[in-house]
Amino acid sequence: MCGIVGGVTNKDITALLLEGLNRLEYRGYDSSGLIVLSKNNSFDRIRSVGKVRNLENILKAREQKISGNIGIAHTRWATHGEPSIDNAHPHISMNSVSLVHNGIIENYIDLKNEQLNRGYSFSSETDTEVIAHAIDFAMKSCNTLISSVQLAIKSFSGSYGLGVISSKYPDQIIATRKGSPLVIGIGTNGNYIASDQMALLSVTKEFIFLEEGDVAEIKIDKITIYDLNGNLVVRPIKISMLKAGSVDLGNYDHFMQKEIFEQPQAIRDTLESRITNDSIVISAFGFKAEKKFNKVKQVQIIACGSSYNAGLVAKYWLEDIAKIPCNVEVASEYRYRRPIILNDTLFVTLSQSGETADTVEALKAAKIINCNICTLCITNSAESSLTRLSDLTFLTHAGPEIGVASTKAFTTQLVSLALLACSIGKLQNTINRSQEKSIINGLKKLPGLIHKALHQEEKIKKLATRFQNKNSALFLGRGTMHAIAMEGALKLKEISYIHAEAYPAGELKHGPIALIDKDMPVIAIAPNDELLEKLKSNLQEVKSRGSQMIVFEDENSLIEPMEAMEVISITSNVGRITAPIIFTIPLQLLSYHVALSKGTDVDRPRNLAKSVTVE
């Protein structure tokens, strides 16, 4: 959740730390801070509450500038302790150790009591401060900083990504990870660490992705890495394909807006090289995919948030089109129950970052329960925990997604899942050549159809003003559109703070219809499918209760407008795979413009972070 950046260079590190924090702010923005080792090897630290710009303003106002060649910085998503200066990172112990931390130390209460008995004092409510004290205590019996860290982390239960510096060892940073991502950047003027490679794109394209349990000693001209067991190891250097400009706003007002409009290209990129001669390239899921998919008897999808909603859509596709049973569960629940996982199960994890803690742990648990299952992750990150843990990987190629509310990551996941359903059906002869070709033709049309849907932005923008004084909203859909309605409700509540719920339209009379009155706006999705006439009846039920309604329709659905009902045609005559993807677009635009009308922070909504790397 939190963002870490640091470096050892032959230049002043402060500007790079600030740049890195700005690029990592999507990971948390309750508070931020940085610390450098000055020329006399003393710590110079500054922290602030709120967004990184607050930290920048404090730095600009300081008479004595912060300067040094080694430093670490942090932007926080609060877990232990409210957002405050005292709880902001970096933390310091005894003026000898300073560190930044992403993760949760679960046994921090026991460690804190031990440290209080040893004479350590605490200035914060965080679990992180016990890490600093533990390393300081270990330094009393160790003769290097890395050995001190290796000793200290043995006492921790939980997750951590750490960047550690010491006034006693002024030429190095120690980096270590367990359950939280951390990368090392290799530059010409020094070496760096970050929780995401995007933070370092201005200084390097070369990265080492630390494995679980690794501890690394990083100096200006040397990187030494030890594994979980203390063995010296060499990790491969990967060249990042990301461009520094891809994480800039360009001509857009917000990252969410930019990412909504990037969806046609993101889908083109996701389809590229995955289709040839109107046939799906099954090896795009991995060189063993064809053999594995032939044996699959059921699919289990595990995910959180928007990825979970994508999985619900895929359940319809897999069962209706590929004719294979599919279950979908929330990862945070799945990992704590005792599921029965049959042999020949394809265990699919969905995660934009590939680092979602609950999803990673659910995958680990599933592999223990049944080691014979085939595991597939669908992610936007090539070097993530999920990719390393999975037998097969399918990359969505969405590009960097900075806005906290998922947009292009969601629609590219849907495209990926459509390819998966078609691949399994093709191999198991539940989808014939004609059906495969029809599905592929629909997917190829998606970029153009989404581009057309985006042209409705001005109409949607006007409708969004109706929500300015609303506190609740109801989303309705049937079939796959129920999951899309869930995604629309999630987007609205995430960035506008309006309470929103989604229901299958046929469930209205079983309870939710009691909520409907003139103050409850209802948003419905009306594709031209076999459930259309039933949906029209449901809309009549809503309208007779006096609700204000917005209906996004296929122009062939021919929804008859009524008083206080706005009908907007989004697309025309699309199929059961392309329809859910296209109808996602107006719901994203509606949420975006409602949030603008209410004056909320679109890209960084309160209490949320992009990559949920803690439980």
Side-chain angles (χ1 to χ4, degrees):
M1 300 283 275
C2 304
I4 290 172
V5 63
V8 185
T9 77
N10 57 15
K11 298 181 178 181
D12 179 27
I13 193 72
T14 309
L16 177 65
L17 295 179
L18 282 172
E19 179 186 349
L21 288 180
N22 276 302
R23 294 193 183 278
L24 292 174
E25 196 170 22
Y26 71 93
R27 298 181 68 91
Y29 32 85
D30 292 328
S31 61
S32 61
L34 62 83
I35 193 167
V36 300
L37 272 173
S38 60
K39 290 181 179 180
N40 60 358
N41 293 337
S42 61
F43 290 133
D44 198 352
R45 176 179 66 174
I46 188 165
R47 299 177 290 176
S48 73
V49 175
K51 302 206 168 56
V52 173
R53 64 173 175 264
N54 297 340
L55 185 73
E56 290 179 298
N57 291 336
I58 294 172
L59 278 167
K60 288 176 184 177
R62 272 181 57 138
E63 291 184 11
Q64 187 174 356
K65 301 301 179 184
I66 287 183
S67 178
N69 299 104
I70 179 170
I72 49 178
H74 187 270
T75 182
R76 181 175 185 245
W77 186 81
T79 52
H80 294 77
E82 65 182 9
S84 69
I85 295 291
D86 287 340
N87 289 333
H89 299 214
H91 288 286
I92 299 173
S93 176
M94 307 301 285
N95 289 318
S96 70
V97 173
S98 180
L99 58 83
V100 287
H101 170 218
N102 176 22
I104 294 176
I105 302 302
E106 295 171 356
N107 62 332
Y108 85 101
I109 292 293
D110 293 336
L111 293 171
K112 184 172 183 177
N113 289 333
E114 288 178 12
Q115 291 167 359
L116 286 169
N117 290 333
R118 290 173 181 156
Y120 286 97
S121 60
F122 288 80
S123 61
S124 77
E125 304 167 286
T126 69
D127 56 332
T128 300
E129 204 169 359
V130 302
I131 305 175
H133 290 331
I135 295 172
D136 176 77
F137 185 74
M139 286 172 63
K140 302 180 189 304
S141 58
C142 299
N143 56 12
T144 64
L145 183 56
I146 191 168
S147 61
S148 302
V149 172
Q150 287 171 316
L151 177 60
I153 61 177
K154 291 179 180 179
S155 65
F156 304 153
S157 296
S159 61
Y160 53 79
L162 300 176
V164 184
I165 60 175
S166 172
S167 56
K168 297 180 180 178
Y169 300 93
D171 63 340
Q172 61 193 263
I173 293 177
I174 306 300
T176 183
R177 62 153 299 202
K178 177 189 174 188
S180 294
L182 209 58
V183 302
I184 298 172
I186 303 169
T188 55
N189 296 306
N191 294 311
Y192 312 89
I193 64 167
S195 24
D196 190 315
Q197 56 187 307
M198 287 192 296
L200 303 174
L201 289 178
S202 65
V203 290
T204 185
K205 288 279 196 175
E206 297 185 356
F207 294 94
I208 296 172
F209 293 83
L210 291 178
E211 299 283 348
E212 189 83 344
D214 281 355
V215 185
E217 180 185 78
I218 300 152
K219 297 184 177 182
I220 196 168
D221 56 357
K222 186 180 181 182
I223 296 169
T224 308
I225 303 174
Y226 296 89
D227 67 11
L228 180 65
N229 299 312
N231 300 312
L232 187 66
V233 291
V234 176
R235 300 297 184 205
I237 297 172
K238 303 292 182 71
I239 307 300
S240 175
M241 295 295 104
L242 292 177
K243 298 177 182 178
S246 64
V247 292
D248 294 330
L249 270 174
N251 295 322
Y252 294 94
D253 294 325
H254 300 91
F255 281 108
M256 183 179 181
Q257 181 190 32
K258 178 188 179 190
E259 288 151 11
I260 288 172
F261 279 84
E262 285 177 339
Q263 286 174 109
Q265 186 59 49
I267 287 171
R268 287 189 197 97
D269 292 342
T270 300
L271 292 173
E272 186 179 2
S273 302
R274 273 75 186 264
I275 296 172
T276 180
N277 297 324
D278 290 328
S279 181
I280 292 172
V281 180
I282 297 174
S283 60
F285 289 90
F287 74 93
K288 296 181 180 178
E290 186 166 342
K291 180 180 178 181
K292 299 285 188 182
F293 290 176
N294 260 316
K295 295 181 178 180
V296 170
K297 293 181 180 177
Q298 71 170 8
V299 177
Q300 175 70 65
I301 298 175
I302 298 296
C304 299
S306 290
S307 297
Y308 172 73
N309 295 336
L312 292 175
V313 175
K315 176 180 172 68
Y316 280 87
W317 292 340
L318 284 159
E319 295 191 344
D320 183 31
I321 299 171
K323 302 295 188 287
I324 190 162
C326 177
N327 297 310
V328 186
E329 289 197 52
V330 175
S332 57
E333 290 296 317
Y334 188 87
R335 62 180 287 199
Y336 287 114
R337 70 179 188 85
R338 295 175 178 83
I340 297 171
I341 308 176
L342 302 178
N343 290 338
D344 301 320
T345 293
L346 178 63
F347 194 91
V348 181
T349 53
L350 304 176
S351 170
Q352 185 276 142
S353 66
E355 299 291 352
T356 307
D358 286 316
T359 307
V360 171
E361 293 304 318
L363 174 56
K364 290 178 181 177
K367 292 173 74 172
I368 293 171
I369 294 169
N370 189 337
C371 61
N372 296 316
I373 59 173
C374 174
T375 58
L376 163 69
C377 78
I378 296 176
T379 180
N380 196 33
S381 176
E383 300 294 337
S384 66
S385 296
L386 283 180
T387 60
R388 289 192 288 270
L389 288 167
S390 300
D391 301 320
L392 306 172
T393 296
F394 190 92
L395 297 178
T396 57
H397 293 172
E401 189 178 69
I402 306 301
V404 166
S406 180
T407 52
K408 61 178 180 174
F410 177 75
T411 49
T412 53
Q413 282 179 349
L414 289 177
V415 169
S416 305
L417 289 162
L419 292 172
L420 174 65
C422 193
S423 296
I424 294 173
K426 174 183 175 180
L427 287 171
Q428 300 198 5
N429 297 316
T430 55
I431 294 176
N432 61 35
R433 184 71 186 93
S434 176
Q435 290 171 310
E436 180 190 13
K437 187 174 181 179
S438 176
I439 291 169
I440 288 170
N441 286 339
L443 291 173
K444 285 181 176 179
K445 292 177 182 177
L446 266 175
L449 292 170
I450 289 175
H451 187 71
K452 178 183 175 182
L454 289 168
H455 285 165
Q456 301 293 350
E457 183 180 24
E458 284 305 313
K459 289 182 181 178
I460 294 170
K461 185 177 180 180
K462 292 177 182 176
L463 292 176
T465 59
R466 298 182 182 181
F467 290 76
Q468 195 162 7
N469 299 314
K470 301 298 182 183
N471 297 314
S472 295
L474 195 64
F475 288 72
L476 301 177
R478 301 199 70 143
T480 55
M481 295 305 163
H482 172 226
I484 298 305
M486 291 174 63
E487 177 63 12
L490 177 60
K491 287 290 154 287
L492 189 66
K493 70 180 77 170
E494 278 181 319
I495 63 172
S496 72
Y497 316 146
I498 292 175
H499 172 252
E501 297 295 337
Y503 285 92
E507 277 294 294
L508 276 174
K509 60 180 70 70
H510 296 288
I513 201 166
L515 297 171
I516 295 176
D517 59 21
K518 61 182 177 59
D519 294 318
M520 173 71 79
V522 175
I523 300 94
I525 310 166
N528 184 23
D529 60 16
E530 68 275 9
L531 292 172
L532 177 60
E533 293 307 315
K534 292 186 180 297
L535 177 67
K536 287 181 178 180
S537 297
N538 300 141
L539 298 183
Q540 289 286 351
E541 293 167 357
V542 173
K543 197 69 211 68
S544 65
R545 269 73 183 180
S547 172
Q548 296 182 26
M549 296 190 68
I550 298 172
V551 180
F552 296 116
E553 69 160 4
D554 185 303
E555 62 184 29
N556 294 314
S557 295
L558 302 176
I559 302 293
E560 187 176 338
M562 294 176 273
E563 185 181 351
M565 175 194 283
E566 192 82 27
V567 179
I568 300 179
S569 295
I570 296 301
T571 190
S572 176
N573 198 29
V574 292
R576 52 187 166 174
I577 282 185
T578 49
I581 301 169
I582 294 166
F583 278 103
T584 299
I585 306 305
L587 301 182
Q588 293 173 349
L589 289 170
L590 179 65
S591 298
Y592 172 72
H593 286 290
V594 170
L596 288 185
S597 71
K598 293 181 77 71
T600 61
D601 190 330
V602 174
D603 288 333
R604 303 175 183 89
R606 68 188 182 201
N607 302 333
L608 297 177
K610 182 68 177 175
S611 181
V612 186
T613 58
V614 297
E615 184 178 350

